[in-house]
Amino acid sequence: PLTSIKGFSQTMLSSWDKLDDDKKKDFLNIILSQSQRLINLVENVLNVAKIDSNNDNFVMTKVNCCSLLKNCIDVVSINYKDFKFNFKMPKMELFCYIDSNKAQQILINILDNSAKYSNNSNIVDINLYSKDDFNVFSIKNYGSCIKNDEITRIFEKFYRSDSYISTTTQGSGLGLYIANNLAKKMNGYIEVKSNKDSLETEFLIYLPIYEVEKITKCIKPES
């Protein structure tokens, strides 16, 4: 990002009078987008440092899953105005025992990836349901798939697929590593299913259900 920011800034300074307004606007938009990319990279590195040092504090509370998911969809959909984020609401309210900010970080990352790596499709299907001791956030895109031998590696630090999509889409290879570790630290996990025939990829985020009985057991009475 710094190379682009510096290069386009220098071009504008040295050729200001030769550039028309449209070209100046294009260059400024590139500088803005690359600045945001740099911010994201720095935030990811800081998050990895916290995870690896076990210094990332978690504030576990009762969280409404529907409200959390809808907020995350609103945040991501702003950047994908031509996309349809289809959220199938559950028939009843579901609650997790999680850190709301960390869970939001996970969901925004997966939602953004699903749109970013959807190839020619502009649909992301989102579902929410309970299974065993977890509430499951299902996020599915169409138009691309992950190879079987890569599914076990996509959560590795700095890993990026060698496929066409990854080579034409900017990324640091840290987002899924962070998301997976945050889920684990909240006693959850992430599962991936990908079908090369139908070109569908589904991320399933499992986060623990809020159960009063279990939470009460974790709280020690004051002496």
Side-chain angles (χ1 to χ4, degrees):
L2 285 174
T3 301
S4 296
I5 293 169
K6 181 180 179 182
F8 283 102
S9 298
Q10 287 177 330
T11 300
M12 293 184 71
L13 286 171
S14 62
S15 307
W16 183 264
D17 295 334
K18 300 177 183 178
L19 300 172
D20 58 33
D21 289 344
D22 288 340
K23 186 62 68 175
K24 290 175 182 176
K25 187 175 181 180
D26 288 341
F27 286 3
L28 286 172
N29 279 325
I30 292 172
I31 292 170
L32 177 61
S33 66
Q34 291 301 308
S35 298
Q36 184 58 54
R37 183 181 170 218
L38 181 60
I39 290 170
N40 293 339
L41 285 169
V42 172
E43 288 178 345
N44 280 341
V45 170
L46 292 174
N47 284 322
V48 168
K50 288 181 180 180
I51 289 171
D52 290 348
S53 64
N54 291 317
N55 286 332
D56 207 354
N57 296 323
F58 286 74
V59 181
M60 306 291 279
T61 59
K62 178 182 179 181
V63 177
N64 186 305
C65 298
C66 287
S67 297
L68 173 69
L69 189 47
K70 284 192 288 186
N71 288 340
C72 294
I73 293 170
D74 289 341
V75 170
V76 175
S77 61
I78 292 174
N79 298 319
Y80 299 95
K81 298 187 183 299
D82 296 330
F83 273 70
K84 293 180 180 179
F85 292 85
N86 301 320
F87 178 27
K88 184 178 180 182
M89 293 275 291
K91 295 181 179 179
M92 59 181 292
E93 287 190 318
L94 302 177
F95 296 91
C96 281
Y97 186 63
I98 51 177
D99 182 309
S100 180
N101 290 330
K102 301 295 192 300
Q104 179 171 298
Q105 190 174 348
I106 295 170
L107 292 170
I108 288 176
N109 180 282
I110 303 298
L111 285 165
D112 184 72
N113 272 5
S114 294
K116 185 189 298 181
Y117 297 109
S118 63
N119 205 354
N120 295 320
S121 172
N122 66 341
I123 296 174
V124 177
D125 284 334
I126 303 145
N127 201 355
L128 176 61
Y129 57 90
S130 295
K131 182 179 180 181
D132 300 326
D133 294 330
F134 299 94
N135 286 320
V136 185
F137 300 77
S138 166
I139 301 172
K140 181 188 291 187
N141 72 351
Y142 305 88
S144 64
C145 70
I146 302 172
K147 298 176 183 178
N148 289 334
D149 59 341
E150 290 183 324
I151 286 180
T152 58
R153 299 198 61 198
I154 59 174
F155 295 111
E156 293 178 6
K157 192 189 301 183
F158 299 117
Y159 180 78
R160 298 202 74 214
S161 170
D162 291 329
S163 66
Y164 168 78
I165 293 176
S166 70
T167 57
T168 56
T169 306
Q170 294 178 340
S172 63
L174 290 173
L176 290 179
Y177 171 81
I178 293 169
N180 191 44
N181 277 276
L182 290 178
K184 288 180 178 179
K185 287 178 179 288
M186 291 188 289
N187 299 313
Y189 63 97
I190 301 177
E191 181 183 7
V192 184
K193 296 180 180 179
S194 195
N195 190 315
K196 66 178 182 179
D197 296 323
S198 57
L199 292 179
E200 297 177 6
T201 297
E202 181 180 20
F203 279 78
L204 299 160
I205 302 105
Y206 292 78
L207 296 176
I209 290 174
Y210 178 88
E211 295 180 290
V212 176
E213 296 80 3
K214 290 185 177 180
I215 305 306
T216 304
K217 291 179 181 179
C218 296
I219 302 175
K220 296 181 180 179
E222 294 183 3
S223 55

